[in-house]
Amino acid sequence: MTDTTLDLGPQARIVARLAEGVTDDQLSAPTPCPDMAVRNLLGHLIGLAVAFRDAGRKDLGVTTDTSPEEAVPDIGPGWREELPKVLDELAEAWRAPEAWAGMTRAGGVDLPGAVAAAVAVDELLIHGWDLARSTGQEYAPDPTALQASHDFLRAAADEGDRGGGIFGPVVPVPEGAPLLDRAVGLSGREPGWAP
């Protein structure tokens, strides 16, 4: 994905709306992410939004150097205000053409700006699905983000880069299945997952 016209804002707003719909009693519910309850998934979303915001700004440091596997994330008492704020900041950072140019870093990995943007879109898309499935909410992702995420995941699968890493093994999904189901399968999740 090298399209610098992709706006992460619509998908970021969808994730923020899903988070707004989470009730306090759902925070300990399971998610499709192994070893993560809803509260941990929300904490991961906050952390990745900050990291990719800073990657887009080329503001490299602790937030962009920390691997997501270093600790199980959690939320603090102000998460309901913090998450939509950092999601907005993430989207705004990637509206700047310079975010897409040159190199940046996220998760402790140096990568081209356009690749970092692709990872950010994919994280928002797939974790939006995770959050919706875990909390029983409807999920209609941004169509442009969905296509970009699918293309990114398809390319990763075609390259055979599916060992450990951030993706699990591909879950086979029929080619005629909806694009969201195919992206979810490529991410290593079972599209029919339910808590």
Side-chain angles (χ1 to χ4, degrees):
M1 181 178 85
T2 57
D3 181 4
T4 59
T5 63
L6 177 62
D7 183 2
L8 280 66
Q11 184 60 33
R13 284 189 295 277
I14 289 167
V15 172
R17 280 195 301 273
L18 289 167
E20 187 179 315
V22 174
T23 61
D24 288 345
D25 63 336
Q26 291 175 321
L27 293 175
S28 59
T31 71
C33 307
D35 304 321
M36 276 197 189
V38 169
R39 68 182 306 111
N40 307 121
L41 177 58
L42 290 163
H44 177 64
L45 282 163
I46 291 169
L48 77 86
V50 168
F52 283 98
R53 172 201 69 196
D54 292 350
R57 292 175 176 173
K58 308 287 186 359
D59 183 11
L60 309 183
V62 174
T63 60
T64 60
D65 289 345
T66 304
S67 168
E69 284 86 34
E70 284 191 14
V72 176
D74 203 348
I75 51 173
W79 74 268
R80 289 189 184 275
E81 295 75 32
E82 183 181 11
L83 181 56
K85 176 181 177 286
V86 295
L87 286 169
D88 283 347
E89 292 170 353
L90 164 69
E92 187 58 36
W94 288 97
R95 289 186 182 112
E98 54 271 19
W100 298 76
M103 297 293 290
T104 192
R105 184 180 313 124
V109 177
D110 291 326
L111 61 172
V115 174
V119 175
V121 169
D122 181 59
E123 291 274 347
L124 291 174
L125 191 291
I126 296 299
H127 288 318
W129 180 86
D130 291 334
L131 188 57
R133 294 302 284 222
S134 302
T135 59
Q137 298 185 67
E138 291 296 318
Y139 186 49
D142 173 58
T144 305
L146 174 57
Q147 187 65 59
S149 177
H150 176 269
D151 294 350
F152 171 74
L153 291 165
R154 175 85 269 156
D158 289 346
E159 290 171 15
D161 185 20
R162 301 310 296 266
I166 60 171
F167 302 116
V170 171
V171 173
V173 176
E175 276 303 312
L179 188 60
L180 179 58
D181 288 356
R182 287 183 277 147
V184 166
L186 287 167
S187 78
R189 290 153 170 79
E190 172 56 56
W193 185 92

